[in-house]
Amino acid sequence: MITPQEIKDLIEAGLPDARVRVSGDGHHFEATVVSPAFRGKSRIQQHQLVYATLGDRMREQIHALSLKTDLP
Amino acid sequence: MSVEDRIREQVTENDIVLYMKGTPQFPQCGFSGKSVQMLKACGAQFKGIDVLADAEIRDGIKRFSNWPTIPQLYIRGEFIGGCDIMSELYEKGELQKLVSGAGS
C-alpha cells in the first residue's frame, strides 16, 4: 500500500522545483503538480513527466491517479 | 502482426478510438465510463476497444503511447490523452472541436 505522502515525495524527488498536493485512499489518488519544468510542454508531456517520477509504481501499486498539471 | 502494428491499424482505420476497460455500453471502470460520457456528449462516433478482453493490447497500448493508464483517446491516429486531459479539453470546449470533423 502506498500513501499520498509517498507519492508526493516521489514526485518532488523527480521534479525538485514542483509544488505538489496529493490526496487519496491508498488505491485512488488525486494529485496537483505545479512546476516550471512544464513550460513549453504539451499537457501529455507534462503528465508524462509526472508519471516518469513514479515509474513502475504506476503499474503495480497505484490503481488510479487523477492528475492536474500547471505552470507556476 | 505485432501488437504495435495492431494498435497502429486500429487508430488509423478508425477516426476516434477509445481504449477502455469494458465496452461503451458497459464500462468496467469509472474513468472509462466518464470518458464515454464525454465523447457521447460531444456527439462523437467512436470505436471502443476493451483492453480487459485483450491482455496483449492492455499492455501494448501503455508502451505505444508511453502512458501508464487506461482509458486512452486517439483521434485521427494521434494520442490525445487520458480521462483527466479529456476532462480539461471538454470543459474548455476543445474536445468538441477535436471530434467534429472526425468520426465521419
Side-chain angles (χ1 to χ4, degrees):
Chain A
M1 182 100 120
I2 192 161
T3 65
Q5 184 62 44
E6 287 172 281
I7 292 178
K8 179 172 157 46
D9 292 345
L10 285 163
I11 296 174
E12 284 174 345
L15 291 167
D17 293 335
R19 277 189 287 128
V20 185
R21 259 196 339 218
V22 183
S23 60
D25 62 5
H27 297 285
H28 296 76
F29 300 93
E30 279 182 36
T32 305
V33 184
V34 178
S35 167
F38 296 150
R39 199 171 301 282
K41 300 213 160 40
S42 71
R43 270 192 210 89
I44 290 174
Q45 290 168 331
Q46 293 175 2
H47 285 218
Q48 279 168 336
L49 277 177
V50 177
Y51 289 142
T53 67
L54 301 170
D56 286 340
R57 288 175 195 82
M58 257 331 280
R59 282 171 194 276
E60 291 154 16
Q61 287 174 280
I62 304 171
H63 171 68
L65 175 67
S66 180
L67 194 54
K68 232 181 159 64
T69 54
D70 216 338
L71 286 168
Chain B
M1 197 189 279
S2 75
V3 63
E4 226 171 64
D5 288 337
R6 286 180 62 205
I7 292 168
R8 202 164 287 122
E9 195 173 276
Q10 288 167 343
V11 300
T12 48
E13 279 183 355
N14 304 279
D15 263 6
I16 306 178
V17 183
L18 183 70
Y19 290 88
M20 60 180 292
K21 294 180 177 173
T23 63
Q25 290 72 32
F26 295 103
Q28 300 291 320
C29 151
F31 297 100
S32 290
K34 187 178 174 194
S35 301
V36 167
Q37 290 309 318
M38 285 188 279
L39 286 174
K40 284 186 176 166
C42 294
Q45 297 290 317
F46 66 96
K47 182 174 176 65
I49 294 178
D50 182 4
V51 303
L52 298 179
D54 191 327
E56 192 185 55
I57 293 283
R58 182 179 185 172
D59 193 52
I61 193 67
K62 297 178 180 177
R63 278 181 278 117
F64 185 82
S65 54
N66 186 29
W67 194 261
T69 56
I70 309 289
Q72 295 187 14
L73 176 68
Y74 291 76
I75 297 181
R76 290 178 285 263
E78 187 194 346
F79 175 52
I80 303 299
C83 186
D84 296 329
I85 288 179
M86 285 179 72
S87 301
E88 280 182 46
L89 293 172
Y90 181 73
E91 280 159 24
K92 290 182 182 162
E94 290 173 23
L95 188 64
Q96 293 83 332
K97 286 181 206 153
L98 280 171
V99 304
S100 67
S104 51

